[in-house]
Amino acid sequence: HYYITNNLRMVVLGQRVQVGDFYAVVKYMGPVTGTDGEWLGVEWEDEGRGKHDGSYKDVKYFEAKPLHGSFVRSHKLNPGLSFSEVLQQRYTDVTGVGDEMSIVNKDNSKTNVELVGLSDADINRAAQLTNLVMREQSIISVGDDSFIEEKCVNAENMDMSLNLFHDINTILQILHLMPKLRSVHLKGNVLLNKDVLDVEQPHPYLERIYLAGTGLSWGEFCKLAEHFPNIHEVYISGSTLNICDTPAHILQQMTVLDVQHSDIVNWSTLNDVSALPNLHTLILSNNSISSIQISPGQFSKLEALSLDNNKLNDWSSVAELRKLPLLKTLRIRLNPLITGPGLDMRLLVVAMLPAVKKLNGTPISDNERLQADIFYLKHFATDYYKGESDFHIMHTRYKELVKEYGEPDTGMPKIKSIKDNSIIVKILKPDGKEFEKKLLKTTLVKHLHLIVQRQCKILPKNQKLYWIDPSNDKIHLDDPTRDLAYFNIDHDCTVHVET
């Protein structure tokens, strides 16, 4: 399934191509009934660019989303450029004489530059690029190896996303020409040939690689990782990954793994990476994980975990996270954990995971943790007294809180109850009118901004909130992530609103 275009470029099914200023994937090659010659059926990346869903006159030629499909002639395709051609056009074309020269900018326009007091050596040093932006430049091949080596000898960071590469080994050839490269973005290069060649000489410095939307499987990525023994951060979201059979000798330096949108269903899929000795950040958002079971020794160095938008549906999975000894940062929004009336998921997670310091992007204050402990004790008091074994297995933290505060019906100090933590706050509008609001001391300032917005019709970004303490000092509520207690706001305090 390949097609030779008029400019002698070979196109294959599934390849990402460019037509004019727009990108598409080739889904069909061949004739179309009622027309002459050969056509390429493409699915555009931009919604509404196409005219159909791959059908023409009631004949289905290929699958495409509605209004994403078109037929184009092969001569319309951008033939693509070599890396060295784009490098020369964007960064190294220099014209002019004397004290002025013009350089080609990243948008291919030219800028006159006055050379005052610069020697030839200064100009040569300026040409030693460290950061390359080669994004969306229709690059499909390597080009002049020696030219790339000369100009990119000091390159450290490169964005090569959304080009026309379809062979992983073409990309590898370019990366190996940059011995000091530390970070590369390859997002959106739709790879068809993913059979990575064996390593001849590993790349010693590459630490960070972005592979979202390339279509690499985990096994193919592991073979790619053989080329980069010093890899620290891997972002490979957007592929269907089965993270198993990870060779023991690779990824030993990896600290960050992002596998969002990877159709991961079972936590056990992560067993291989759970033993990596330096992994401290794991991003699992937008998958389909419904339960968590952590074995002893798994993820022993993990400090940050993102589980947003999965299918976690029982609190035993939250309790399992206590087995991660260094976990300090957790994201767990958009999971079906709330199963009953009156449940506050944030308070329960805070209470169940006493070592976590930041939840869903917001730091946990001492006052919020206290509030969470009390809420947890009160909410599950009935289950506690039933004495069922399932409850005590799922809620190991509850026993610890009973030991700290006493049993929920007798031992809980009234000073720590939710009722006694509520306060009446007066809010003075810019027009001099005042209203009162019953709040908790743990109410965050950003929530107070929303209350003011409803009452005063002032957007939060245009509000300035403060109160005047007993020493007559103006205390600005300038951190929306802090609660009222942080600013010492108590019962009967007046918060002033200015714009």
Side-chain angles (χ1 to χ4, degrees):
H1 297 291
Y2 67 89
Y3 188 83
I4 305 297
T5 70
N6 291 342
N7 48 38
L8 300 183
R9 171 183 166 193
M10 186 176 74
V11 178
V12 296
L13 285 176
Q15 183 173 332
R16 186 173 190 260
V17 295
Q18 184 179 12
V19 183
D21 294 329
F22 299 93
Y23 292 90
V25 174
V26 177
K27 294 292 189 75
Y28 172 78
M29 298 176 179
V32 175
T33 302
T35 67
D36 297 326
E38 300 287 308
W39 293 88
L40 300 179
V42 300
E43 182 177 22
W44 299 101
E45 293 181 358
D46 295 289
E47 185 176 3
R49 175 68 182 164
K51 298 180 179 179
H52 50 72
D53 63 354
S55 301
Y56 179 71
K57 291 187 176 180
D58 299 325
V59 178
K60 189 74 169 180
Y61 291 90
F62 61 96
E63 293 292 335
K65 290 178 283 189
L67 298 180
H68 280 69
S70 293
F71 292 99
V72 299
R73 296 292 192 183
S74 62
H75 69 269
K76 295 286 187 180
L77 299 187
N78 182 335
L81 297 169
S82 71
F83 186 92
S84 60
E85 287 176 310
V86 175
L87 181 67
Q88 183 167 13
Q89 290 173 3
R90 290 172 66 81
Y91 289 104
T92 63
D93 273 355
V94 179
T95 61
V97 295
D99 293 332
E100 287 191 350
M101 72 175 182
S102 64
I103 63 172
V104 178
N105 299 315
K106 295 177 182 179
D107 60 0
N108 294 323
S109 63
K110 288 189 176 183
T111 302
N112 290 328
V113 180
E114 186 177 3
L115 305 178
V116 179
L118 286 181
S119 65
D120 290 341
D122 292 326
I123 296 172
N124 287 334
R125 280 194 295 271
Q128 292 178 344
L129 303 170
T130 57
N131 299 296
L132 295 173
V133 181
M134 309 290 274
R135 181 186 179 94
E136 287 192 281
Q137 294 299 304
S138 305
I139 304 171
I140 195 170
S141 60
V142 180
D144 187 339
D145 287 23
S146 59
F147 179 78
I148 297 170
E149 282 186 302
E150 176 190 352
K151 298 301 179 184
C152 300
V153 65
N154 289 319
E156 295 182 2
N157 305 288
M158 178 168 62
D159 186 350
M160 208 159 57
S161 303
L162 299 168
N163 279 286
L164 301 179
F165 294 110
H166 57 88
D167 189 330
I168 186 61
N169 295 300
T170 303
I171 294 173
L172 272 175
Q173 187 178 346
I174 294 171
L175 300 185
H176 279 293
L177 293 172
M178 303 178 189
K180 296 182 181 179
L181 194 67
R182 295 183 179 275
S183 175
V184 62
H185 287 250
L186 299 171
K187 174 184 176 182
N189 288 291
V190 181
L191 299 175
L192 300 178
N193 179 19
K194 297 175 281 188
D195 187 10
V196 180
L197 296 177
D198 292 336
V199 181
E200 293 183 6
Q201 182 66 42
H203 193 295
Y205 291 113
L206 194 74
E207 297 177 349
R208 185 182 302 110
I209 189 165
Y210 295 82
L211 295 163
T214 59
L216 284 177
S217 70
W218 184 254
E220 290 161 343
F221 162 70
C222 287
K223 193 168 183 182
L224 178 66
E226 299 268 7
H227 287 257
F228 310 117
N230 197 42
I231 200 76
H232 280 60
E233 299 179 23
V234 175
Y235 302 84
I236 191 173
S237 60
S239 299
T240 299
L241 298 179
N242 183 16
I243 310 179
C244 295
D245 301 321
T246 306
H249 63 284
I250 67 169
L251 304 178
Q252 294 301 295
Q253 305 302 318
M254 187 168 69
T255 59
V256 178
L257 176 60
D258 180 350
V259 285
Q260 299 183 66
H261 298 284
S262 297
D263 294 332
I264 297 173
V265 176
N266 297 313
W267 183 264
S268 59
T269 301
L270 304 167
N271 284 345
D272 282 359
V273 296
S274 71
L276 294 175
N278 292 296
L279 185 64
H280 64 62
T281 299
L282 179 60
I283 303 171
L284 293 168
S285 302
N286 304 296
N287 282 291
S288 299
I289 300 170
S290 58
S291 63
I292 297 172
Q293 302 88 30
I294 299 174
S295 301
Q298 286 190 322
F299 297 110
S300 61
K301 296 292 182 67
L302 198 67
E303 299 177 11
L305 175 62
S306 180
L307 290 163
D308 285 344
N309 199 26
N310 273 273
K311 296 182 179 180
L312 298 174
N313 55 22
D314 64 80
W315 290 100
S316 62
S317 292
V318 178
E320 282 288 299
L321 298 178
R322 291 195 68 190
K323 297 178 181 178
L324 302 176
L326 300 182
L327 187 66
K328 296 291 185 293
T329 300
L330 175 66
R331 301 189 70 93
I332 198 169
R333 298 176 306 110
L334 304 177
N335 280 278
L337 285 167
I338 300 178
T339 57
L343 279 177
D344 186 315
M345 190 183 81
R346 180 178 174 86
L347 287 180
L348 287 178
V349 174
V350 169
M352 294 177 73
L353 302 175
V356 171
K357 303 299 182 186
K358 181 184 286 188
L359 179 62
N360 297 334
T362 303
I364 301 169
S365 68
D366 291 341
N367 282 302
E368 183 181 20
R369 190 169 297 284
L370 172 63
Q371 195 68 24
D373 290 347
I374 303 307
F375 178 80
Y376 185 39
L377 282 170
K378 292 184 68 175
H379 187 85
F380 287 106
T382 302
D383 298 278
Y384 168 74
Y385 283 117
K386 286 180 181 178
E388 295 177 355
S389 59
D390 287 349
F391 173 80
H392 292 292
I393 292 172
M394 186 181 300
H395 296 275
T396 56
R397 174 65 176 154
Y398 201 92
K399 290 182 179 180
E400 297 171 4
L401 292 178
V402 167
K403 186 176 180 180
E404 181 177 350
Y405 294 103
E407 293 190 325
D409 63 338
T410 58
M412 206 180 327
K414 291 183 179 180
I415 190 173
K416 295 178 181 177
S417 71
I418 292 178
K419 180 178 180 180
D420 290 342
N421 196 40
S422 63
I423 55 177
I424 301 295
V425 176
K426 299 175 182 177
I427 300 175
L428 185 62
K429 300 180 181 181
D431 61 6
K433 296 181 180 179
E434 187 178 88
F435 67 95
E436 293 184 348
K437 192 71 177 176
K438 186 176 182 180
L439 302 169
L440 295 176
K441 293 180 182 180
T442 53
T443 299
L444 300 179
V445 170
K446 64 181 180 181
H447 296 149
L448 183 59
H449 277 295
L450 296 177
I451 293 170
V452 172
Q453 179 182 1
R454 288 194 293 269
Q455 292 288 334
C456 303
K457 310 302 180 187
I458 303 171
L459 293 175
K461 66 179 182 179
N462 298 325
Q463 300 172 19
K464 294 180 181 178
L465 307 182
Y466 68 90
W467 76 287
I468 299 174
D469 70 5
S471 302
N472 210 33
D473 291 326
K474 184 183 287 188
I475 308 298
H476 290 276
L477 281 61
D478 52 6
D479 186 345
T481 66
R482 298 289 189 177
D483 56 20
L484 300 184
Y486 176 83
F487 295 98
N488 295 319
I489 293 178
D490 211 330
H491 186 71
D492 215 28
C493 286
T494 299
V495 173
H496 298 252
V497 181
E498 289 184 349
T499 56

